[in-house]
Amino acid sequence: MGIKKKTTIKDIANVLGLTPSAVSKALNNHPRISEKTKASVKQVAQNLNYQPNYLASALRKGKSNLVGVIIPRANSNFFSAVLESIEGVLNKKGYNIIISQSYESFDKECRNIDALLFTQVDGVIASLANETKDFSSYEKIKSKGIPLVLFDRGENDLGVDYIGIDDYKSSHMVVDHLVEQNCKRIAHIGGFSHTRIFKNRNRGYRDALAKHSLPLDDDLIFECNLSKANGRAIMEQLLEHANRPDAVYVAGDYAALGALQVLKEHNIKIPEEIAIVGFGNEPFTSLVSPPISTIEQHSTEIGVLTAEAFLRRIKEADIPPTLNKMILDPELIIRDSSRKK
Protein backbone atom coordinates (compact mmCIF):
# COMPACT_ATOMS: atom_id res chain seq x y z
CA MET A 1 0.00 0.00 0.00
CA GLY A 2 1.42 3.40 -1.01
CA ILE A 3 1.80 6.36 1.29
CA LYS A 4 -1.37 8.45 1.31
CA LYS A 5 -0.91 11.96 -0.07
CA LYS A 6 -1.49 14.72 2.48
CA THR A 7 -4.51 16.93 1.99
CA THR A 8 -3.64 20.51 1.06
CA ILE A 9 -5.54 23.80 1.04
CA LYS A 10 -5.81 23.43 -2.75
CA ASP A 11 -7.70 20.14 -2.30
CA ILE A 12 -10.27 21.83 -0.04
CA ALA A 13 -10.54 24.72 -2.49
CA ASN A 14 -11.23 22.34 -5.41
CA VAL A 15 -14.06 20.61 -3.51
CA LEU A 16 -15.78 23.91 -2.65
CA GLY A 17 -14.94 25.86 -5.80
CA LEU A 18 -13.06 28.50 -3.79
CA THR A 19 -9.62 30.00 -4.15
CA PRO A 20 -6.82 28.64 -1.90
CA SER A 21 -6.53 32.14 -0.42
CA ALA A 22 -10.20 32.12 0.62
CA VAL A 23 -9.81 28.67 2.20
CA SER A 24 -6.74 29.84 4.12
CA LYS A 25 -8.59 32.88 5.42
CA ALA A 26 -11.58 30.74 6.43
CA LEU A 27 -9.35 28.33 8.36
CA ASN A 28 -7.77 31.29 10.14
CA ASN A 29 -11.16 32.80 11.00
CA HIS A 30 -10.68 35.92 8.87
CA PRO A 31 -13.43 38.52 9.52
CA ARG A 32 -14.07 39.08 5.80
CA ILE A 33 -15.12 35.45 5.27
CA SER A 34 -18.78 34.64 5.98
CA GLU A 35 -19.68 32.28 8.80
CA LYS A 36 -21.36 29.97 6.28
CA THR A 37 -18.19 29.69 4.20
CA LYS A 38 -16.05 29.17 7.29
CA ALA A 39 -18.33 26.33 8.42
CA SER A 40 -18.21 24.69 4.96
CA VAL A 41 -14.42 24.94 4.76
CA LYS A 42 -13.91 23.50 8.25
CA GLN A 43 -16.32 20.62 7.52
CA VAL A 44 -14.52 19.67 4.28
CA ALA A 45 -11.16 20.03 6.02
CA GLN A 46 -12.34 17.59 8.67
CA ASN A 47 -13.73 15.18 6.07
CA LEU A 48 -10.44 15.18 4.16
CA ASN A 49 -8.41 14.87 7.38
CA TYR A 50 -6.57 18.13 6.65
CA GLN A 51 -3.61 18.88 8.92
CA PRO A 52 -2.18 22.44 8.89
CA ASN A 53 1.46 22.88 7.84
CA TYR A 54 2.77 24.59 10.96
CA LEU A 55 6.23 25.08 9.48
CA ALA A 56 4.84 26.96 6.47
CA SER A 57 2.58 28.95 8.79
CA ALA A 58 5.52 29.84 11.02
CA LEU A 59 7.51 31.03 8.00
CA ARG A 60 4.61 33.27 6.92
CA LYS A 61 3.81 34.69 10.34
CA GLY A 62 7.29 34.72 11.84
CA LYS A 63 5.82 32.92 14.89
CA SER A 64 5.13 29.23 15.48
CA ASN A 65 3.96 29.19 19.14
CA LEU A 66 6.35 26.25 19.57
CA VAL A 67 9.10 26.11 22.19
CA GLY A 68 11.90 23.55 22.01
CA VAL A 69 12.93 21.95 25.31
CA ILE A 70 16.16 19.94 25.40
CA ILE A 71 16.83 17.71 28.41
CA PRO A 72 19.55 15.13 29.09
CA ARG A 73 17.00 12.35 29.70
CA ALA A 74 13.29 12.00 30.34
CA ASN A 75 13.52 9.01 32.72
CA SER A 76 14.67 11.31 35.52
CA ASN A 77 11.97 12.46 37.91
CA PHE A 78 13.69 15.83 38.16
CA PHE A 79 13.62 16.51 34.42
CA SER A 80 10.12 15.08 33.91
CA ALA A 81 8.79 17.27 36.75
CA VAL A 82 10.50 20.36 35.31
CA LEU A 83 8.98 19.54 31.90
CA GLU A 84 5.50 19.22 33.39
CA SER A 85 5.78 22.65 35.03
CA ILE A 86 7.21 24.30 31.89
CA GLU A 87 4.45 22.86 29.73
CA GLY A 88 1.73 23.83 32.19
CA VAL A 89 2.82 27.48 32.26
CA LEU A 90 3.46 27.79 28.51
CA ASN A 91 0.23 26.03 27.45
CA LYS A 92 -1.78 28.68 29.31
CA LYS A 93 -0.06 31.30 27.16
CA GLY A 94 -0.80 29.49 23.89
CA TYR A 95 2.54 27.73 23.42
CA ASN A 96 3.20 24.04 22.80
CA ILE A 97 6.54 22.41 23.54
CA ILE A 98 8.69 20.06 21.49
CA ILE A 99 10.71 17.78 23.77
CA SER A 100 14.06 16.33 22.72
CA GLN A 101 16.61 14.32 24.71
CA SER A 102 20.39 14.58 24.36
CA TYR A 103 21.04 11.34 26.29
CA GLU A 104 24.10 13.23 27.64
CA SER A 105 25.57 13.28 24.09
CA PHE A 106 27.05 16.50 22.69
CA ASP A 107 26.49 15.37 19.08
CA LYS A 108 22.84 14.48 19.77
CA GLU A 109 22.36 17.82 21.49
CA CYS A 110 23.69 19.68 18.42
CA ARG A 111 21.37 17.72 16.12
CA ASN A 112 18.43 18.50 18.40
CA ILE A 113 19.20 22.22 18.22
CA ASP A 114 19.44 22.15 14.42
CA ALA A 115 16.10 20.32 14.20
CA LEU A 116 14.40 22.83 16.50
CA LEU A 117 15.77 25.79 14.55
CA PHE A 118 14.53 24.18 11.30
CA THR A 119 11.10 23.85 12.90
CA GLN A 120 11.08 27.62 13.48
CA VAL A 121 10.58 27.40 17.25
CA ASP A 122 9.94 30.68 19.05
CA GLY A 123 12.49 29.83 21.73
CA VAL A 124 14.69 27.15 23.26
CA ILE A 125 14.82 25.98 26.87
CA ALA A 126 17.65 23.58 27.70
CA SER A 127 19.71 21.74 30.28
CA LEU A 128 23.17 20.93 28.91
CA ALA A 129 24.40 17.39 28.22
CA ASN A 130 27.24 16.07 30.37
CA GLU A 131 29.51 15.87 27.31
CA THR A 132 28.98 19.49 26.25
CA LYS A 133 32.10 21.66 26.32
CA ASP A 134 31.54 23.56 23.05
CA PHE A 135 28.67 26.06 23.17
CA SER A 136 28.68 27.10 19.50
CA SER A 137 25.27 25.50 18.88
CA TYR A 138 23.78 27.58 21.66
CA GLU A 139 25.53 30.67 20.31
CA LYS A 140 23.79 29.88 17.01
CA ILE A 141 20.41 30.14 18.76
CA LYS A 142 21.37 33.53 20.22
CA SER A 143 22.72 34.80 16.89
CA LYS A 144 19.29 34.24 15.32
CA GLY A 145 17.65 36.37 18.00
CA ILE A 146 15.78 33.38 19.42
CA PRO A 147 15.24 33.48 23.21
CA LEU A 148 17.35 30.92 25.08
CA VAL A 149 16.82 29.97 28.73
CA LEU A 150 18.92 27.38 30.60
CA PHE A 151 18.02 25.45 33.74
CA ASP A 152 19.87 23.11 36.12
CA ARG A 153 22.90 22.79 33.84
CA GLY A 154 23.89 26.10 32.31
CA GLU A 155 26.99 28.07 31.44
CA ASN A 156 27.67 31.64 32.54
CA ASP A 157 29.63 32.39 29.35
CA LEU A 158 26.43 32.13 27.30
CA GLY A 159 25.05 35.16 29.13
CA VAL A 160 21.40 34.05 29.19
CA ASP A 161 18.78 33.43 31.87
CA TYR A 162 19.63 30.52 34.18
CA ILE A 163 17.51 28.85 36.85
CA GLY A 164 18.90 26.29 39.29
CA ILE A 165 19.84 25.56 42.89
CA ASP A 166 22.92 26.51 44.90
CA ASP A 167 25.11 23.48 44.12
CA TYR A 168 28.05 24.75 46.16
CA LYS A 169 25.85 25.12 49.24
CA SER A 170 24.35 21.67 48.62
CA SER A 171 27.74 20.03 49.06
CA HIS A 172 28.37 21.90 52.30
CA MET A 173 25.01 20.68 53.61
CA VAL A 174 25.87 17.08 52.75
CA VAL A 175 29.38 17.15 54.25
CA ASP A 176 28.17 19.00 57.36
CA HIS A 177 25.55 16.29 57.91
CA LEU A 178 28.02 13.44 57.40
CA VAL A 179 30.48 15.04 59.83
CA GLU A 180 27.64 15.29 62.38
CA GLN A 181 27.25 11.54 61.94
CA ASN A 182 30.93 11.16 62.88
CA CYS A 183 32.10 10.37 59.32
CA LYS A 184 35.74 11.29 58.79
CA ARG A 185 36.64 9.85 55.39
CA ILE A 186 34.12 11.03 52.82
CA ALA A 187 34.35 10.01 49.15
CA HIS A 188 32.71 11.94 46.30
CA ILE A 189 31.22 10.46 43.13
CA GLY A 190 30.53 13.50 40.94
CA GLY A 191 29.64 14.47 37.40
CA PHE A 192 32.18 15.81 34.93
CA SER A 193 33.81 18.95 36.31
CA HIS A 194 33.69 20.81 32.97
CA THR A 195 29.95 21.12 33.68
CA ARG A 196 29.42 24.10 35.96
CA ILE A 197 26.98 22.49 38.42
CA PHE A 198 29.25 19.49 39.01
CA LYS A 199 32.28 21.77 39.29
CA ASN A 200 30.42 23.71 42.00
CA ARG A 201 29.40 20.51 43.81
CA ASN A 202 33.01 19.31 43.72
CA ARG A 203 34.31 22.69 44.92
CA GLY A 204 31.74 22.76 47.72
CA TYR A 205 32.76 19.23 48.77
CA ARG A 206 36.46 20.16 48.88
CA ASP A 207 35.87 23.40 50.78
CA ALA A 208 33.57 21.67 53.27
CA LEU A 209 36.23 19.04 54.01
CA ALA A 210 38.74 21.84 54.65
CA LYS A 211 36.22 23.63 56.88
CA HIS A 212 36.04 20.53 59.07
CA SER A 213 39.82 19.88 58.88
CA LEU A 214 39.25 16.57 57.12
CA PRO A 215 41.91 15.18 54.75
CA LEU A 216 41.40 15.53 50.97
CA ASP A 217 42.27 12.26 49.20
CA ASP A 218 42.14 12.47 45.39
CA ASP A 219 41.78 8.68 45.30
CA LEU A 220 38.30 9.17 46.80
CA ILE A 221 37.10 11.61 44.11
CA PHE A 222 35.53 10.35 40.86
CA GLU A 223 33.91 11.89 37.77
CA CYS A 224 31.36 10.00 35.68
CA ASN A 225 27.96 10.16 33.93
CA LEU A 226 26.28 9.33 37.25
CA SER A 227 24.46 6.28 35.92
CA LYS A 228 23.58 3.34 38.15
CA ALA A 229 26.32 1.31 36.43
CA ASN A 230 28.84 4.09 37.19
CA GLY A 231 27.81 4.04 40.84
CA ARG A 232 28.26 0.28 41.03
CA ALA A 233 31.66 0.27 39.34
CA ILE A 234 33.08 3.11 41.45
CA MET A 235 31.76 1.64 44.70
CA GLU A 236 33.56 -1.61 43.87
CA GLN A 237 36.77 0.40 43.45
CA LEU A 238 36.26 2.19 46.75
CA LEU A 239 35.81 -1.11 48.59
CA GLU A 240 39.20 -2.27 47.29
CA HIS A 241 40.88 0.86 48.68
CA ALA A 242 43.38 0.13 51.47
CA ASN A 243 41.77 2.84 53.61
CA ARG A 244 38.20 2.79 52.36
CA PRO A 245 35.75 5.62 53.11
CA ASP A 246 33.14 5.65 55.85
CA ALA A 247 30.77 7.80 53.73
CA VAL A 248 30.06 8.47 50.05
CA TYR A 249 28.50 11.66 48.71
CA VAL A 250 27.06 10.93 45.25
CA ALA A 251 26.04 13.84 42.98
CA GLY A 252 23.17 11.86 41.41
CA ASP A 253 20.58 9.45 42.85
CA TYR A 254 20.93 6.76 40.15
CA ALA A 255 24.64 6.41 40.86
CA ALA A 256 23.83 6.44 44.59
CA LEU A 257 21.43 3.54 44.02
CA GLY A 258 24.17 1.57 42.24
CA ALA A 259 26.58 2.22 45.12
CA LEU A 260 23.95 1.14 47.64
CA GLN A 261 23.36 -2.13 45.77
CA VAL A 262 27.07 -2.98 45.87
CA LEU A 263 27.31 -2.29 49.61
CA LYS A 264 24.35 -4.58 50.28
CA GLU A 265 25.82 -7.31 48.07
CA HIS A 266 29.02 -7.14 50.14
CA ASN A 267 27.01 -7.25 53.40
CA ILE A 268 28.34 -3.87 54.48
CA LYS A 269 26.20 -2.16 57.09
CA ILE A 270 24.61 1.09 55.92
CA PRO A 271 25.15 3.64 57.43
CA GLU A 272 27.14 2.16 60.33
CA GLU A 273 30.12 1.15 58.16
CA ILE A 274 29.54 3.34 55.10
CA ALA A 275 26.93 6.10 54.85
CA ILE A 276 25.47 7.26 51.52
CA VAL A 277 23.93 10.56 50.40
CA GLY A 278 22.58 11.08 46.88
CA PHE A 279 21.32 14.07 44.90
CA GLY A 280 17.98 14.77 43.18
CA ASN A 281 15.32 13.16 45.41
CA GLU A 282 14.21 10.63 42.79
CA PRO A 283 11.05 8.77 43.94
CA PHE A 284 12.90 5.46 44.44
CA THR A 285 15.19 7.02 47.08
CA SER A 286 12.40 6.81 49.68
CA LEU A 287 11.40 3.27 48.65
CA VAL A 288 14.69 1.32 48.72
CA SER A 289 16.14 -0.21 51.88
CA PRO A 290 17.59 1.70 53.54
CA PRO A 291 15.99 4.87 52.14
CA ILE A 292 18.62 7.15 50.59
CA SER A 293 19.37 10.61 51.98
CA THR A 294 19.38 13.13 49.16
CA ILE A 295 19.22 16.76 48.03
CA GLU A 296 15.83 18.13 46.94
CA GLN A 297 16.21 20.29 43.80
CA HIS A 298 12.73 21.91 43.75
CA SER A 299 11.96 20.71 40.21
CA THR A 300 8.42 22.12 40.07
CA GLU A 301 9.53 25.61 41.08
CA ILE A 302 12.46 25.51 38.65
CA GLY A 303 10.08 24.59 35.83
CA VAL A 304 7.71 27.46 36.61
CA LEU A 305 10.54 30.01 36.90
CA THR A 306 12.11 28.75 33.66
CA ALA A 307 8.86 29.13 31.71
CA GLU A 308 8.28 32.59 33.17
CA ALA A 309 11.82 33.62 32.20
CA PHE A 310 11.11 32.52 28.62
CA LEU A 311 7.85 34.50 28.51
CA ARG A 312 9.69 37.61 29.74
CA ARG A 313 12.30 37.20 27.00
CA ILE A 314 9.58 36.91 24.36
CA LYS A 315 8.16 40.25 25.53
CA GLU A 316 11.63 41.82 25.56
CA ALA A 317 12.68 40.43 22.17
CA ASP A 318 14.44 43.66 21.17
CA ILE A 319 16.55 43.77 24.35
CA PRO A 320 19.88 41.88 24.15
CA PRO A 321 19.95 38.92 26.58
CA THR A 322 21.98 39.28 29.76
CA LEU A 323 23.03 36.78 32.40
CA ASN A 324 20.19 36.65 34.90
CA LYS A 325 20.62 33.86 37.45
CA MET A 326 17.82 32.66 39.71
CA ILE A 327 19.34 30.42 42.37
CA LEU A 328 17.11 28.46 44.76
CA ASP A 329 18.15 27.13 48.16
CA PRO A 330 18.59 23.33 48.24
CA GLU A 331 17.06 21.09 50.89
CA LEU A 332 18.80 18.10 52.46
CA ILE A 333 16.43 15.20 53.09
CA ILE A 334 17.96 12.96 55.75
CA ARG A 335 17.02 9.27 55.63
CA ASP A 336 18.39 6.01 57.03
CA SER A 337 21.25 5.62 54.54
CA SER A 338 23.18 8.31 56.43
CA ARG A 339 21.41 8.71 59.79
CA LYS A 340 23.66 7.11 62.40
CA LYS A 341 22.47 8.92 65.49
Side-chain angles (χ1 to χ4, degrees):
M1 183 181 292
I3 297 173
K4 189 175 181 180
K5 181 176 174 289
K6 286 186 177 180
T7 300
T8 66
I9 283 178
K10 287 183 179 179
D11 296 325
I12 301 171
N14 289 337
V15 170
L16 294 170
L18 298 172
T19 65
S21 175
V23 171
S24 177
K25 288 177 181 178
L27 290 171
N28 287 285
N29 207 30
H30 196 284
R32 291 188 178 179
I33 303 297
S34 70
E35 293 302 321
K36 181 179 178 181
T37 300
K38 287 178 186 176
S40 298
V41 168
K42 289 174 182 176
Q43 184 60 56
V44 172
Q46 183 177 339
N47 294 343
L48 296 179
N49 196 27
Y50 169 72
Q51 296 293 325
N53 186 331
Y54 287 108
L55 179 55
S57 177
L59 288 169
R60 287 194 306 271
K61 298 177 182 177
K63 186 175 177 63
S64 65
N65 287 99
L66 297 173
V67 181
V69 184
I70 305 172
I71 57 173
R73 57 188 182 278
N75 67 346
S76 157
N77 181 68
F78 171 74
F79 288 117
S80 62
V82 171
L83 276 174
E84 184 176 355
S85 293
I86 289 173
E87 187 169 30
V89 172
L90 294 186
N91 281 175
K92 290 177 182 176
K93 297 297 182 178
Y95 290 94
N96 289 310
I97 67 173
I98 300 175
I99 303 166
S100 58
Q101 301 178 70
S102 66
Y103 299 102
E104 306 290 9
S105 164
F106 169 70
D107 290 337
K108 182 73 165 64
E109 184 176 73
C110 292
R111 293 197 299 274
N112 289 344
I113 290 172
D114 286 340
L116 292 173
L117 293 178
F118 177 78
T119 311
Q120 302 288 317
V121 292
D122 291 338
V124 175
I125 294 171
S127 184
L128 305 182
N130 263 341
E131 290 184 4
T132 300
K133 298 179 184 178
D134 178 351
F135 307 113
S136 54
S137 286
Y138 287 103
E139 291 290 357
K140 186 193 302 183
I141 297 171
K142 291 177 60 183
S143 71
K144 292 180 179 294
I146 297 172
L148 170 64
V149 179
L150 302 176
F151 71 92
D152 185 48
R153 303 183 198 169
E155 181 50 56
N156 292 348
D157 290 346
L158 284 168
V160 297
D161 288 326
Y162 168 78
I163 298 89
I165 66 166
D166 190 331
D167 292 285
Y168 179 81
K169 182 178 180 179
S170 299
S171 292
H172 274 266
M173 294 172 71
V174 171
V175 173
D176 289 349
H177 162 64
L178 291 172
V179 170
E180 288 174 1
Q181 304 305 305
N182 204 32
C183 297
K184 302 184 185 304
R185 190 164 166 76
I186 303 169
H188 179 49
I189 302 175
F192 294 114
S193 58
H194 63 256
T195 303
R196 189 183 52 78
I197 64 167
F198 296 125
K199 182 189 298 182
N200 286 341
R201 290 176 198 178
N202 188 303
R203 185 168 59 88
Y205 158 78
R206 291 169 179 267
D207 289 352
L209 289 184
K211 178 177 70 177
H212 291 287
S213 300
L214 293 177
L216 178 66
D217 185 345
D218 286 334
D219 288 342
L220 298 184
I221 302 173
F222 298 83
E223 293 185 7
C224 64
N225 258 329
L226 294 171
S227 68
K228 187 172 77 170
N230 291 149
R232 289 186 61 87
I234 293 171
M235 194 69 246
E236 291 284 6
Q237 290 182 53
L238 287 171
L239 292 181
E240 293 174 2
H241 201 288
N243 186 13
R244 72 188 189 191
D246 57 9
V248 184
Y249 162 37
V250 192
D253 281 337
Y254 282 94
L257 175 62
L260 181 87
Q261 289 175 341
V262 168
L263 292 180
K264 293 180 73 173
E265 289 163 9
H266 286 268
N267 295 314
I268 291 171
K269 294 179 181 178
I270 309 166
E272 291 81 4
E273 294 180 72
I274 298 181
I276 290 184
V277 178
F279 205 109
N281 197 23
E282 292 287 337
F284 64 77
T285 56
S286 65
L287 303 175
V288 295
S289 178
I292 300 173
S293 298
T294 186
I295 291 287
E296 168 59 50
Q297 292 182 268
H298 306 300
S299 53
T300 299
E301 189 174 355
I302 285 177
V304 170
L305 290 172
T306 299
E308 290 175 347
F310 164 76
L311 292 171
R312 280 196 303 274
R313 286 302 175 196
I314 285 287
K315 288 182 180 179
E316 302 168 358
D318 297 331
I319 303 174
T322 56
L323 176 62
N324 179 24
K325 297 170 74 172
M326 286 171 268
I327 306 300
L328 307 181
D329 281 330
E331 176 188 353
L332 175 61
I333 299 174
I334 300 171
R335 300 189 179 114
D336 291 346
S337 70
S338 66
R339 187 190 285 118
K340 292 186 180 183
K341 295 180 181 178

